[in-house]
Amino acid sequence: GAYLFLVFFAWKKNFYLKEIILIGGLFSFVSIFSYTMSETLILPFVFIFLYLAHQIITEKLKGLKAILYLSLVLIALYNIRYPALFIMFATGVFGVFNYKKSSGKTFIYSGIIGLIFVILYKFLFIDHFNEKYVDSFLEIGLHSTSKLLTELFEGLTTVFNPFIHILNPAGGIVNYGIIGIGLLNIILMLFLFLKNKLTETEKFFLTIGTIGIVCSFFIQYFYSVNPLDYRLLAPFTLSIWLVYFKKLYDLFGKLTYAITFFSLLTGFAFTYLSRGNYLENRQKIKTFLHTENLENGRINFYMESEEELEKIRIAELISTVNPNVKVTFKPNDTLKNNTLTKYKVLQKIKIDKNQFQ
């Protein structure tokens, strides 16, 4: 649904239609569109935001109407995902560097309005339910710089690898190939951006993407999040991919579609290789839950960390039978009758899987 909206909006507004079709076919974005998570919802709003910014830069949208529309979209983005705060900041920064232009002032005012909303949201809504909410999740020095830089490098080289967007958790030589392709693509991106003259709209797109990624990196010093990957960075990489594919299309024309074609081909190959007998596995889970009297009601699934992919897959499989599954990281919860663990599940059933998963 999100991808169809992006294509329809791009076609209706005659705005980066070729580029959005190319991006939507990349294996990483196909994976995002298949999620039922906030990343899928935020991408259409990011695209609308980029369109409004283009209208403002080209002076087709001006004055109070421009400020109102842009501010509302920024607020909508923040209500979907908190990292939209970085988009607000980037919008203001771009405005500061272009303050002599009318569009620059619009970006500054919209960014400020967005930040005012965030502050009011904190004091009037969040504090009403939990005054110590911010203090509870902010903690300085969570990770070392060397660890974060390694994760950033791996994250960016997979994010900008148009064919394979994840590394093998077990390591191995295949990861060097994945990282190498991503690194070469980043170098090509930088070359095209530096060699070709950028329009004001393209400069804005790259500013949003770059500042968003930089802020996502530095927030990890204070706020515990998963390592940066294609999913977390999608709201910021979308604008960079748009500019990149536009430059590629200007150079190679329809041959650019080959990138998306081979990306989809890679996706189909990985999906086929990593297949398990889903229907059989689901039937086993259904029988297991029936035996445990857990077909209905809340189920807690215990994990030690969010990086345990095999456990996540088991929890996802359980959710196909009983969607009321909540992941818990509290060892005490394992004492409850409605709490399942990987050991408890696999002790009674065998899930069909293969090495490629």
Side-chain angles (χ1 to χ4, degrees), residues 247-303:
K247 297 302 179 188
L248 283 179
Y249 199 90
D250 289 343
L251 283 174
F252 302 108
K254 293 182 179 179
L255 282 175
T256 311
Y257 285 102
I259 296 174
T260 298
F261 173 77
F262 284 112
S263 183
L264 285 172
L265 201 62
T266 305
F268 289 139
F270 268 77
T271 302
Y272 177 78
L273 290 171
S274 64
R275 75 195 186 284
N277 193 329
Y278 167 73
L279 293 177
E280 182 182 334
N281 288 338
R282 188 179 185 278
Q283 183 59 45
K284 290 178 181 178
I285 286 291
K286 186 176 182 179
T287 303
F288 169 77
L289 293 179
H290 178 73
T291 304
E292 299 293 322
N293 197 27
L294 291 173
E295 281 186 294
N296 301 302
R298 167 61 65 81
I299 296 177
N300 294 320
F301 190 87
Y302 173 71
M303 293 170 51

Side-chain angles (χ1 to χ4, degrees), residues 51-71 101-107 109-110:
Y51 170 74
L52 289 175
H54 171 69
Q55 293 294 96
I56 291 168
I57 290 171
T58 55
E59 298 188 347
K60 294 176 182 176
L61 185 63
K62 297 185 287 186
L64 292 176
K65 183 186 288 187
I67 296 172
L68 175 64
Y69 287 177
L70 200 63
S71 300
K101 303 174 184 176
S102 60
S103 61
K105 295 180 179 64
T106 300
F107 290 131
Y109 295 147
S110 298

Side-chain angles (χ1 to χ4, degrees), residues 150-312:
T150 301
E151 290 178 351
L152 177 67
F153 176 75
E154 292 178 348
L156 290 178
T157 50
T158 49
V159 163
F160 290 112
N161 183 323
F163 308 112
I164 306 173
H165 58 280
I166 50 177
L167 295 175
N168 181 1
I173 194 169
V174 68
N175 284 352
Y176 291 105
I178 295 170
I179 290 173
I181 293 172
L183 183 60
L184 288 174
N185 197 45
I186 290 173
I187 293 171
L188 178 59
M189 274 186 177
L190 293 173
F191 175 76
L192 291 177
F193 295 160
L194 294 173
K195 182 183 178 182
N196 297 283
K197 186 177 180 180
L198 299 172
T199 64
E200 284 300 305
T201 295
E202 291 170 343
K203 290 177 183 177
F204 178 83
F205 285 9
L206 295 181
T207 300
I208 295 297
T210 303
I211 291 180
I213 293 172
V214 171
C215 289
S216 297
F217 170 76
F218 282 107
I219 197 65
Q220 294 177 106
Y221 282 102
F222 312 100
Y223 180 54
S224 180
V225 296
N226 292 337
L228 299 179
D229 60 7
Y230 71 99
R231 182 177 61 83
L232 295 177
L233 294 179
F236 313 118
T237 59
L238 177 64
S239 58
I240 297 175
W241 278 113
L242 285 171
V243 179
Y244 180 51
F245 271 125
K246 188 175 188 306
K247 297 302 179 188
L248 283 179
Y249 199 90
D250 289 343
L251 283 174
F252 302 108
K254 293 182 179 179
L255 282 175
T256 311
Y257 285 102
I259 296 174
T260 298
F261 173 77
F262 284 112
S263 183
L264 285 172
L265 201 62
T266 305
F268 289 139
F270 268 77
T271 302
Y272 177 78
L273 290 171
S274 64
R275 75 195 186 284
N277 193 329
Y278 167 73
L279 293 177
E280 182 182 334
N281 288 338
R282 188 179 185 278
Q283 183 59 45
K284 290 178 181 178
I285 286 291
K286 186 176 182 179
T287 303
F288 169 77
L289 293 179
H290 178 73
T291 304
E292 299 293 322
N293 197 27
L294 291 173
E295 281 186 294
N296 301 302
R298 167 61 65 81
I299 296 177
N300 294 320
F301 190 87
Y302 173 71
M303 293 170 51
E304 294 178 0
S305 76
E306 295 180 352
E307 298 177 1
E308 297 175 296
L309 299 180
E310 186 177 358
K311 293 182 180 179
I312 290 174

Side-chain angles (χ1 to χ4, degrees), residues 59-97:
E59 298 188 347
K60 294 176 182 176
L61 185 63
K62 297 185 287 186
L64 292 176
K65 183 186 288 187
I67 296 172
L68 175 64
Y69 287 177
L70 200 63
S71 300
L72 288 175
V73 173
L74 286 172
I75 291 170
L77 286 169
Y78 182 76
N79 277 278
I80 299 171
R81 280 184 65 81
Y82 288 170
L85 178 64
F86 307 149
I87 295 179
M88 293 178 183
F89 175 68
T91 301
V93 169
F94 186 84
V96 168
F97 282 99

Side-chain angles (χ1 to χ4, degrees), residues 20-37:
I20 208 66
I21 292 173
L22 286 162
I23 292 170
L26 296 180
F27 190 18
S28 58
F29 280 91
V30 170
S31 300
I32 291 171
F33 292 134
S34 66
Y35 279 5
T36 53
M37 301 179 74

